[in-house]
Amino acid sequence: MTGGKDARESLDQAAYLAQRMRAQGRWHRPLIALLGLAMFAAVLVSGMALPPPLQTAGFTLAVLLLMGLVIYTASRKVIPRHHKLLYSLVTPVGVLLYTLTVVLGQVFFPKVLWWWLTGSILSTLPFWIIIAVNAATGRRR
């Protein structure tokens, strides 16, 4: 009868681990959404409202938020199955869009609303893509 006891212990341990993983993922999407909204605001406000010396601080904050996304998603114990390549490609694309927005915006489009609004939306694409992937994989389970 030790087999039955071992099986029950294994099931209890699996249930405990599943509960911990669900608890860890509970704030995953909302936290990434908050980071994305902060990134959006940092790029838009820095490009439209801040004078040039303070723009650098705003753009630095935006880079730190993007780095926060990378660190946060890398620290998660579980990446949705079959999406490791997507996770590794989405951040460089976001960095490229952010860089183009900031560099071209400061040179050619200072204080032009449509440029900074579009650029801030495109700069936050990595955040929304990761949320969408996590939502889609969560629904499939």
Side-chain angles (χ1 to χ4, degrees):
M1 283 282 131
T2 61
K5 184 179 178 183
D6 289 341
R8 253 181 296 202
E9 287 176 7
S10 295
L11 286 173
D12 289 342
Q13 185 178 12
Y16 172 73
L17 290 173
Q19 177 189 10
R20 279 188 53 202
M21 288 179 69
R22 273 193 300 280
Q24 192 179 57
R26 185 173 300 135
W27 294 103
H28 188 67
R29 284 180 261 170
L31 183 61
I32 292 175
L34 285 174
L35 285 171
L37 290 173
M39 173 86 171
F40 173 82
V43 172
L44 184 62
V45 169
S46 298
M48 286 300 298
L50 296 179
L54 289 177
Q55 268 185 339
T56 306
F59 293 141
T60 303
L61 173 64
V63 167
L64 292 174
L65 290 167
L66 193 56
M67 288 172 52
L69 172 71
V70 172
I71 292 168
Y72 179 72
T73 55
S75 69
R76 299 296 88 198
K77 290 181 175 42
V78 178
I79 292 178
R81 188 173 293 196
H82 309 297
H83 293 296
K84 288 182 182 178
L85 180 63
L86 176 69
Y87 269 54
S88 62
L89 291 177
V90 96
T91 305
V93 168
V95 168
L96 176 67
L97 292 170
Y98 167 78
T99 304
L100 289 173
T101 298
V102 170
V103 171
L104 295 177
Q106 286 180 322
V107 174
F108 298 112
F109 305 105
K111 310 290 186 226
V112 177
L113 180 62
W114 67 266
W115 175 263
W116 291 105
L117 187 61
T118 305
S120 59
I121 290 169
L122 291 175
S123 296
T124 59
L125 276 180
F127 299 89
W128 311 129
I129 290 171
I130 289 174
I131 289 171
V133 166
N134 278 284
T137 56
R139 272 188 247 122
R140 275 191 245 147
R141 285 187 227 143

